[in-house]
Amino acid sequence: MRADDGDVALETLFLPFIDGSLPWPAEGGALFLRARDGWPLHQRAWPGLVCEQSFRPEADALERSGATLGRADDDRRHALVLVLAPRQRDEARALFARAIARCAPGGRVVACIPNNEGAKSGESDLAHLAGPVSSLSKHKCRVFWTAPLDGPVNADLAGEWAQADAPRAIVDGRFVSRPGVFAWDRIDPASRLLAEHLPAHLAGAAADLGAGYGYLSTELLTRCAGIVSLDLYEAEARALDLSHINLAAFESRVALSFHWHDVTRGIEGAYDVIVCNPPFHAQGRTDRPDIGRRFIAVAAQALKPGGRLWLVANRHLPYEAELDARFGQVKTVAQQGGFKVVEAVRSNDRISR
């Protein structure tokens, strides 16, 4: 959610520095974990600010705005660490532990969470790691910060929480996943329905748009021996890293390629097959059917004439007009449990972006 569309968490995060409750560090720099772009980031200069973001659309927006982007494997410490904590609690706890680890001696951690996404729990969690915190509330959000730190108050708990987000085996060891990624601890039922209907004769060059931790890609390669190459496109780097692990068994048989990429910006390629369970939210809870429609348009452009899109979606999402406009043949293959599986075949006419 962009700040100028009401990203009140981003605005509230910077409130203590705007109203004088906290000073911006004169030296030592600042790290912003799960950073997002928006006007609060540009309302004044924030010297030494480095932004880190694993979700490609947000990372792209930060880069376009001129923000300095850091890497997750950089272990430099900073005088200030800002955090926009995620909803998933294990993931948020691990992020707090990481924020403290990245905080230089005498530095502070400052975090913000909307009230309806666990602000009180998040404030309590940070206090358990770092000792007493101060806070302000505004815009139905809570911003809270530590005293100057010299490591965690509870080092054992910090170590435990740092591992709370670690990759782990799920589904009886079939896959490796981690908290916070889509359907992280299970097989998504919509994706399962699509996999069950993939015909064994699919062959050639394939792509998985919005691949997540790699479930659909794994099922496609397991069921369809004629697939010779597979490109996985995923916007969340934390999920894409998992797909490398989950697809490792196919590396000797199929040419695999992994892309940290925002599919809505288009893809290059000429594919025989595309599988897709498109997202219908961005990073909020509001339905965003425009994202799914854009995935359909991108798939149509990237398929060869006669190429096939196999898509699953919630039955209520209005994708039929886009499918009919972009494809020569569209067939609903299955409807079950609130989901629909669609096969769409690209016509011989070239589809424009």
Side-chain angles (χ1 to χ4, degrees), residues 63 69 92 105 149 196 264 292 305 333:
E63 189 170 33
L69 294 183
L149 295 172
E196 289 172 349
T264 66
V333 176

Side-chain angles (χ1 to χ4, degrees), residues 189-190 193 312-316 334-341:
L193 183 65
V312 67
N314 288 40
R315 289 176 66 177
H316 74 277
Q335 297 190 66
Q336 181 180 315
F339 306 112
K340 56 191 174 187
V341 173

